[in-house]
């Protein structure tokens, strides 16, 4: 706090750290970012052993449960139709997408600009593969699969919305929704993307999209909220009309 003269905003803290920050009397809570985690498929064979190693003893039963539940879920999704065809998916940040991001940059100090998004995509700290080295740096990770996708939604052949999504194994996150936000259309496109890629979990912090997805019959839903603490000195420095509006879903794939 002394080093930065109180110009500090904190998020993604543990409960223990939060207690310390509160007891210091130096911080004020800001508007939290409210999101949802949707479980479209059962994935207990991955979730439970990660929480408690004892579950590995019944891994076969967990796999059997997942297969049984997911066969029913997939058969139900098969009969649902989301007839949105005016979109395409790219796994690179192409020139059209770059131009679109630059043109639709929000006038918000928290919004990521083109240079930041380009850096995020080209220098991910979650890498594909398995590391053979000892894990000495805790802010790096290896996964079987990690990739960014850009979903481009068109209207009359003109790009209107760009959705940036990451997939980490079978888990996906919506990081940015840029441009027009036609809630129904974006939500249906995301559902098509989720089903097509056989994703188990999807995290979204876009309020309007969550209102739409929240009405759907999904296996399991859970609230995910991000808290923010601002140092009192920083709060005093900012103008009284300063808008605290965080929209980016950095999660664990982007440094904040």
């Amino acid at each position: 706090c002394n080093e930065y003269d109180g110009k500090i905003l904190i998020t993604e803290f543990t409960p223990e750290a939060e207690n310390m920050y509160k007891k210091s009397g130096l911080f004020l809570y800001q508007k939290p970012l409210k999101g949802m985690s949707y479980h479209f498929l059962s994935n207990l064979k991955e979730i439970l052993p990660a929480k408690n190693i004892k579950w590995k003893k019944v891994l076969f039963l967990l796999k059997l449960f997942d297969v049984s539940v997911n066969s029913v879920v997939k058969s139900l999704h098969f009969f649902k139709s989301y007839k949105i065809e005016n979109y395409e998916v790219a796994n690179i940040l192409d020139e059209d997408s770059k131009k679109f991001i630059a043109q639709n940059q929000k006038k918000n100090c928290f919004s990521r600009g083109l240079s930041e998004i380009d850096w995020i995509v080209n220098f991910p700290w979650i890498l594909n593969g398995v590391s053979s080295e000892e894990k000495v740096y805790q802010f790096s990770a290896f996964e079987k699969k990690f990739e960014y996708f850009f979903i481009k939604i068109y209207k009359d052949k003109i790009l209107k919305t760009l959705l940036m999504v990451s997939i980490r194994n079978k888990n996906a996150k919506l990081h940015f929704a840029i441009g027009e936000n036609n809630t129904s259309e974006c939500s249906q496109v995301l559902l098509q993307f989720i089903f097509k890629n056989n994703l188990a979990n999807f995290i979204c912090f876009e309020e309007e999209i969550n209102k739409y997805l929240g009405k759907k019959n999904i296996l399991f839903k859970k609230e995910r909220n991000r808290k923010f603490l601002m140092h009192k000195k920083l709060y005093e420095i900012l103008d009284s009309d300063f808008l605290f509006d965080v929209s980016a879903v950095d999660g664990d794939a982007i440094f904040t």
Side-chain angles (χ1 to χ4, degrees):
C1 290
N2 292 336
E3 183 72 21
Y4 288 93
D5 195 25
K7 296 174 183 176
I8 295 173
L9 175 68
I10 304 173
T11 187
E12 296 293 289
F13 36 75
T14 64
E16 293 81 6
E18 183 179 5
N19 287 333
M20 181 184 70
Y21 299 141
K22 287 191 324 188
K23 288 180 180 178
S24 73
L26 296 173
F27 295 91
L28 298 171
Y29 281 99
Q30 300 301 303
K31 178 184 175 183
L33 193 61
K34 296 183 178 181
M36 292 293 295
S37 176
Y38 302 96
H39 292 267
F40 289 90
L41 298 174
S42 178
N43 194 25
L44 294 183
K45 69 179 186 295
E46 299 288 343
I47 296 172
L48 294 181
K51 291 182 177 293
N52 191 322
I53 197 170
K54 292 181 180 179
W55 284 103
K56 286 190 175 182
K57 295 179 181 179
V58 291
L59 190 60
F60 174 75
L61 293 177
L62 295 178
K63 289 180 179 179
L64 186 62
F65 178 84
D66 288 342
V67 170
S68 302
V69 171
N70 292 339
S71 61
V72 175
V73 172
K74 289 177 182 179
S75 65
L76 293 174
H77 286 319
F78 179 79
F79 294 102
K80 293 182 180 180
S81 59
Y82 299 99
K83 297 179 181 179
I84 304 293
E85 299 177 350
N86 58 329
Y87 76 96
E88 61 182 44
V89 180
N91 58 0
I92 61 169
L93 189 60
D94 58 28
E95 291 304 316
D96 285 343
S97 298
K98 289 181 180 180
K99 184 178 178 181
F100 185 78
I101 292 171
Q103 291 174 341
N104 290 273
Q105 174 67 37
K106 291 182 180 179
K107 294 180 180 179
N108 182 334
C109 64
F110 292 105
S111 296
R112 302 276 186 186
L114 175 59
S115 60
E116 289 178 294
I117 293 177
D118 191 46
W119 179 86
I120 288 166
V121 174
N122 286 296
F123 300 99
W125 67 272
I126 299 177
L127 304 175
N128 289 300
V130 179
S131 174
S132 59
E133 299 176 5
E134 184 181 352
K135 195 171 183 180
V136 294
Y137 182 50
Q138 295 304 315
F139 291 98
S140 60
F142 287 83
E143 287 291 357
K144 295 175 184 176
K145 179 181 179 181
F146 181 79
E147 194 171 4
Y148 287 110
F149 290 90
F150 295 89
I151 304 173
K152 299 186 283 185
I153 304 174
Y154 295 87
K155 184 177 181 180
D156 298 326
K157 297 183 179 181
I158 298 174
L159 182 57
K160 291 293 183 180
T161 308
L162 183 69
L163 304 174
M164 179 175 166
V165 178
S166 68
I167 294 180
R168 185 174 185 175
N169 295 332
K170 289 190 175 184
N171 306 305
K173 290 181 181 178
L174 174 63
H175 291 278
F176 305 108
I178 301 167
E180 292 184 6
N181 193 346
N182 184 318
T183 304
S184 175
E185 190 173 48
C186 288
S187 301
Q188 291 184 58
V189 167
L190 284 168
L191 286 171
Q192 283 188 203
F193 179 79
I194 289 164
F195 298 148
K196 188 176 289 185
N197 287 278
N198 199 32
L199 298 175
N201 174 255
F202 177 67
I203 295 173
C204 176
F205 282 82
E206 289 289 330
E207 184 177 355
E208 294 303 315
I209 291 177
N210 281 332
K211 285 181 182 178
Y212 183 93
L213 294 178
K215 297 176 183 178
K216 298 297 178 182
N217 292 323
I218 295 168
L219 198 61
F220 181 72
K221 308 167 193 174
K222 183 181 179 181
E223 287 189 5
R224 291 180 68 101
N225 297 325
R226 286 182 67 191
K227 296 179 182 179
F228 298 90
L229 285 167
M230 183 182 290
H231 196 285
K232 290 179 179 178
K233 283 190 177 181
L234 178 59
Y235 185 80
E236 292 170 0
I237 292 170
L238 298 173
D239 295 333
S240 58
D241 60 348
F242 176 79
L243 178 63
F244 186 86
D245 183 19
V246 181
S247 58
V249 188
D250 287 353
D252 59 355
I254 305 169
F255 286 126
T256 304

